[in-house]
Amino acid sequence: VTLIEITEADIQSMGRWPVTDQDLADIIGRIDHFGPRVIGIDIYRDVDVPPGSETLAATFSGNDHLIGVLKFKSERSPGVAAPSALADADRVGFSDLVLDPDGVVRRGLAFLDDGEQFAWSFALKIAQSYLAEDGIALTPDSETPEHFRLGPTLIPPMPERFGAYAEIDNAGYQFLADHRRQPDELPTYPLGALLAGNVDARHLQDRAVILGVNAESVKDSFVTPLSRWSWNGDPQVAGAAVHGLLVDQLLRAGKGERAVMTAPGPILDTFLLVFACLAGGICGLLAGSAARLTLIVLSGAITITVGGLALFVAAFWLPVLPMAVGWTASAGLVTAYLVQRVRRERRDLQRLLNVQVS
């Protein structure tokens, strides 16, 4: 995946925003010259911006590897329509992203369906178009037809309770974004570099190229789990880069390089938590001393954390924090109970001795 970003400097150089239809057609032509497999245009184009409207419409109609965007209509938003030339050819996807309560993008969307309208996501549409040349298709799962496979990889929808999510709004067809790469790991060029010819052809040829905006005056930015801890202090990631990360994830899944994140169901989740609590209690019962108890509790917590991280890297999400808290709390409570019992037995013995011995 390669990103072409219209930056603030590019907008200042053009002297206008939005970019005209003629300029957008020229930009698409410049990208197409390098022979990418698919070009995703992460710029809304529901109305004409003359001059050059007919040229842009012809560009949209004459290229079957262009994917446009729309904003899905909902109760909170009237939506934004896709370019008619792309919509008629079914080469559009919605750009809507799912935000967690803290405003971070941790989930991707594959489909949205409100009963009246159905749409593919922008990322899935790009990935499907790219993989089609490799003979990799999106198909329903043989055992669960309402779930889909991308090549050999099953991508099931997220339930309301998933991993550390106790309850989520799982409307649409959601999957967990793995964020295996940072946005700056995707080859990225400003529009000015493309127009000046200062791009590496290898980063465009046979690639999925996403054209988007990354400018202060055009707000299209999000926060990802990794960007929150960025060294430059700016947690914001351009929307085109977020879509690029999701496309990258779907391409890896379609090629069988990476499984989609899964998590234990409610029954296994509860069993693991109960097991951690019982194990912590038994260790607290057998510890025998404060030093030994501290060593056991720390060793167990580290084991749970490291094991959970290893499984997370292998695409399985364990409830690490509840298990670690259950382990530690159970060991501590059992130890506290034993200490209190010993003290009570000593008091009873002392009271008995005081009665019997002067």
Side-chain angles (χ1 to χ4, degrees), residues 279-289 292-293 296 331 334-335 338:
I282 293 173
C283 289
L285 188 65
L286 302 177
S289 68
R292 190 180 302 170
L293 173 67
I296 291 174
V334 168
T335 302
L338 291 176

Side-chain angles (χ1 to χ4, degrees), residues 125-140:
K125 201 72 176 176
I126 292 174
Q128 185 216 23
S129 179
Y130 182 95
L131 293 170
E133 293 195 21
D134 294 327
I136 300 173
L138 185 150
T139 58

Side-chain angles (χ1 to χ4, degrees), residues 98-104 106-107 165 167-168:
V98 183
L99 302 182
D100 279 355
D102 58 354
V104 179
R106 296 187 181 90
R107 291 171 278 164
Y165 287 107
E167 185 176 351
I168 59 171

Side-chain angles (χ1 to χ4, degrees), residues 1-343:
V1 180
T2 298
L3 306 177
I4 302 294
E5 296 182 336
I6 300 177
T7 64
E8 194 65 46
D10 295 321
I11 294 176
Q12 296 296 325
S13 177
M14 290 185 292
R16 67 177 73 87
W17 184 262
V19 60
T20 66
D21 291 339
Q22 183 63 56
D23 287 342
L24 184 56
D26 291 342
I27 294 169
I28 294 172
R30 290 289 190 102
I31 298 173
D32 201 32
H33 172 73
F34 291 92
R37 284 198 193 187
V38 56
I39 302 174
I41 306 167
D42 187 24
I43 300 173
Y44 291 130
R45 214 52 163 193
D46 55 327
V47 295
D48 294 337
V49 184
S53 300
E54 293 182 358
T55 302
L56 182 60
T59 300
F60 286 157
S61 301
N63 293 273
D64 59 2
H65 55 279
L66 296 182
I67 306 295
V69 290
L70 59 85
K71 184 171 180 57
F72 203 79
K73 183 180 179 180
S74 66
E75 296 179 355
R76 297 187 297 271
S77 171
V80 179
S84 57
L86 294 177
D88 294 341
D90 193 26
R91 287 189 274 114
V92 295
F94 60 82
S95 61
D96 303 65
L97 295 170
V98 183
L99 302 182
D100 279 355
D102 58 354
V104 179
V105 178
R106 296 187 181 90
R107 291 171 278 164
L109 270 170
F111 309 104
L112 279 175
D113 183 2
D114 63 0
E116 297 181 1
Q117 53 180 341
F118 172 84
W120 296 52
S121 73
F122 183 55
L124 181 58
K125 201 72 176 176
I126 292 174
Q128 185 216 23
S129 179
Y130 182 95
L131 293 170
E133 293 195 21
D134 294 327
I136 300 173
L138 185 150
T139 58
D141 182 54
S142 58
E143 298 181 1
T144 314
E146 61 270 22
H147 299 172
F148 76 91
R149 286 184 176 274
L150 194 56
T153 306
L154 175 65
I155 304 180
M158 287 178 62
E160 290 185 356
R161 181 175 175 178
F162 185 87
Y165 287 107
E167 185 176 351
I168 59 171
D169 179 4
N170 63 338
Y173 199 110
Q174 300 181 22
F175 59 92
L176 194 71
D178 62 13
H179 292 287
R180 295 280 291 179
R181 291 187 173 91
Q182 286 271 34
D184 56 12
E185 294 183 56
L186 302 177
T188 304
Y189 295 97
L191 176 61
L194 174 71
L195 298 180
N198 297 327
V199 295
D200 189 340
R202 295 173 300 174
H203 288 159
L204 295 174
Q205 184 178 9
D206 204 36
R207 289 261 186 158
V209 179
I210 298 178
L211 172 65
V213 185
N214 185 9
E216 284 292 325
S217 59
V218 183
K219 290 299 182 183
D220 182 25
S221 57
F222 300 88
V223 178
T224 69
L226 297 181
S227 69
R228 300 173 74 186
W229 314 106
S230 60
W231 292 106
N232 61 11
D234 184 10
Q236 299 295 322
V237 174
V242 177
H243 292 302
L245 293 173
L246 293 173
V247 172
D248 175 78
Q249 176 179 350
L250 291 170
L251 292 181
R252 285 183 279 112
K255 295 179 179 181
E257 298 174 4
R258 172 76 178 173
V260 174
M261 188 71 69
T262 57
I267 296 177
L268 180 57
D269 205 354
T270 303
F271 171 79
L272 291 172
L273 180 58
V274 171
F275 177 79
C277 292
L278 289 175
I282 293 173
C283 289
L285 188 65
L286 302 177
S289 68
R292 190 180 302 170
L293 173 67
T294 301
L295 180 62
I296 291 174
V297 168
L298 288 176
S299 300
I302 292 173
T303 300
I304 292 173
T305 303
V306 173
L309 177 60
L311 289 173
F312 189 81
V313 171
F316 191 77
W317 193 6
L318 277 181
V320 171
L321 185 59
M323 291 175 62
V325 171
W327 160 272
T328 305
S330 296
L333 289 173
V334 168
T335 302
Y337 165 74
L338 291 176
V339 170
Q340 287 298 111
R341 191 179 71 175
V342 169
R343 288 177 178 175

